[in-house]
């Protein structure tokens, strides 16, 4: 059987994440979303979003990227939430049977205002 390989990035809240005021957290979240939308627009991010109902609350989000793991690490290191220490990344290769998973080019939200307007 043939397999497709995708780079999977888990966004994780580190135990030493800085405490932020609500205003700081909102601004950082908007910067994070805009950064992820830019990755999507540039073709690096195939799909992704927040996690809910997870057993481990440290797991905050997931991304499937079109680049190799080393490149994904480099790109994700520039995420404002990662630079601020609010999120950390775990990068891995996800193997699925060839042709099993497809991603559509849909716009990604650039701010919480866009998320809340839906």
């Amino acid at each position: 059987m043939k397999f497709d390989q995708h780079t999977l990035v888990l966004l994780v809240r580190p135990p030493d994440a800085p405490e932020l005021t609500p205003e700081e957290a909102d601004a950082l979240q908007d910067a994070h979303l805009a950064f992820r939308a830019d990755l999507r627009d540039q073709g690096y991010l195939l799909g992704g979003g927040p996690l809910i109902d997870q057993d481990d609350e440290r797991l905050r989000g997931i991304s499937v990227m079109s680049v190799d793991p080393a490149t994904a690490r480099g790109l994700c290191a520039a995420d404002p939430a990662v630079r601020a220490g609010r999120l950390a990344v775990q990068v891995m290769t996800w193997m699925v049977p060839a042709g099993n998973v497809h991603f559509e080019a849909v716009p990604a939200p650039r701010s919480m205002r866009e998320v809340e307007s839906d």
Side-chain angles (χ1 to χ4, degrees):
M1 178 177 283
K2 295 184 188 246
F3 287 87
D4 291 332
Q5 295 185 16
H6 301 282
T7 300
L8 193 66
V9 177
L10 296 178
L11 298 172
V12 180
R13 177 76 38 88
D16 60 347
E19 291 297 321
L20 303 175
T21 66
E23 295 79 18
E24 292 169 329
D26 289 347
L28 185 59
Q29 183 65 14
D30 281 351
H32 165 72
L33 290 175
F35 178 83
R36 307 304 284 179
D38 287 344
L39 291 180
R40 176 76 180 182
D41 293 347
Q42 295 167 20
Y44 298 124
L45 178 63
L46 298 174
L51 296 169
I52 60 172
D53 300 328
Q54 67 275 37
D55 290 333
D56 184 343
E57 284 295 317
R58 294 173 302 155
L59 301 174
R60 308 308 302 159
I62 191 168
S63 299
V64 181
M65 302 191 70
S66 65
V67 295
D68 63 89
T71 302
R73 279 185 194 89
L75 291 168
C76 291
D79 185 320
V82 173
R83 287 194 339 252
R86 193 78 171 154
L87 293 174
V89 295
Q90 295 180 3
V91 180
M92 61 211 69
T93 300
W94 179 38
M95 295 177 57
V96 296
N100 183 239
V101 177
H102 301 277
F103 296 92
E104 299 293 327
V106 298
R110 303 190 74 76
S111 69
M112 287 305 295
R113 184 177 205 169
E114 287 184 26
V115 171
E116 293 165 354
S117 67
D118 287 343

